[in-house]
Amino acid sequence: MTRRKGRSVLVRLASLRLPVLLVVLAAAALALAIGYGVMSRVTHAQEVRNAREENLAVAGVLAEEAAKTDGFSEISGSAALLLREEHQRAVITLGSVRHVFGAPLPANRQVVAATSKAQDATVVVSSPIDSPASMPLTFVVLGSGVLVVVLGSAVLANAVSNREVRRRAELAVAAADQVAAGDFSARVGSDGPDVLAAFGRAFDAMAARLEEAEKDQRVFLADLAHEIGTPLNAIAGFAMAVVDGTIPPEKARGPIAAQTARVTELLDDLTQLRAIDAGDEEGQSEVDLGSIATELVAAYEPIAAEAGVRLSVRPKRVMVRLAPRLLDTVLRNLISNAIRYTPDGGTVEVGCYQDVARDAVVYVKDSGIGIAVEHQAKVFDRFYRVDEARDRESGGSGLGLAIAKRSAEAIGGHLELDSSPGRGSEFRFVLPRALQEAQRNRTSLDEELPATGSQLAGRN
Ligand code: ADP
């Protein structure tokens, strides 16, 4: 865990653009070296000046004393007193005689000397000081050491980062191969440097979507096989019975016709679903929702009457721009369901309005059996039925609400449902105001623009 954390810190350090890091470090080291070099030279010059002044003062005193005496022994006491610095020494020349006081000067050191004269006495006092060259050298050695450590760390971090990038890239390639081979459970993960983490997240989201789609497709195919298999088996059973002479043909005609109608309806619904999913071109036009609701209610009146359901309409003039065929699909499915799931003596009402947010709404409200909360989201899934046996018996393909939902979404709207068991349901198709305005603006812009060849052809 800590190793992993340490590595990720190194990787993050390395992702700070190594060349920039190195240039900054090198510039800082250079500035430090130059600063230190200048400072040490200034300090050294001051030290030379101080030593020269001190030596001159000592030389002056000794020269005065030497000028007053004949023998060197008389000034040895003063010399011992004055030559306090380590390795400081005085060379006193009296006429032609020369005498040296103090320690010998060490080799390999810079010497500062000062000369003073008094009558026939000449005194030269010298002392050693540190040479300036030795100070920057220490610094250069130290600085180089630090630089080597920093550079080493940067190179190490870079190597770790490269290894991590390579490892993650290999992981991504393996996962992509897995997905390409049809195994959508492959995941890359989202750790590591930012860009790799973002890639990992995007890849994993894509794989998850593919996995979900594949699962969905498998379930759909299984459901489809079941939906087609059930009526086909029934048809085959009746046909065999007629051939065997077990039942007379007139007894088989009705059930065979009913099961055939069921397969036909299923195939029609599948075709419709495919067309919506494929986004087949649907022409848009300005329509009044109230008029559409009225026309549909008139078309369904005979079916409602046969089921003993009172069907009514409360139209309002609501103008919208949409694909009328898709809206027709939505409403037909909602109205036929409402009649189908409302017992004899019940009511179904269709209407439209603009709500407070000025969204356009068409509703289909029934006093039927209702849908329990736990089923409400699922009824829009393909082949989902609340009561498998009863609802299949009632004759639907199990695709009605899935088709209605997808058609609503293809228009740019959505479906809403309020329902309670035993009291009835209200399905609403909602077309957002923002979408209506966008569509209107687009239309008026199209009308303002000079018509191109194809537009002219389309209008003719
Ligand atoms: P079906 O062809 O079975 O009607 P749908 O997709 O149209 O399939 O509906 C899915 C299920 O939702 C139905 O089987 C039924 O259980 C339930 N359902 C749909 N509309 C209504 C309604 N108006 N009242 C009660 N239940 C409904």
Side-chain angles (χ1 to χ4, degrees), residues 333-334 337-338 340-341 366 369-371 379 381 384-387 390-392 394-402 425 427:
N333 278 296
L334 297 184
N337 272 354
R340 186 180 301 149
Y341 297 107
D366 65 57
I369 59 173
I371 302 168
V379 289
D381 293 347
Y384 187 83
R385 294 176 173 104
V386 173
D387 182 332
R390 180 203 65 197
D391 298 343
R392 191 186 291 278
S394 69
S397 68
L399 289 173
L401 286 181
S425 311
F427 283 88

Side-chain angles (χ1 to χ4, degrees), residues 186-188 198-212:
R187 297 291 183 272
V188 174
F199 168 76
R201 271 193 297 276
F203 184 95
D204 290 354
M206 177 200 72
R209 267 198 306 278
L210 287 172
E211 196 175 22
E212 187 62 30

Side-chain angles (χ1 to χ4, degrees), residues 300 303-304 307 309 311 334-343 348 366:
Y300 275 90
I303 301 170
V309 173
L311 180 61
L334 297 184
I335 296 172
S336 61
N337 272 354
I339 297 171
R340 186 180 301 149
Y341 297 107
T342 299
V348 172
D366 65 57

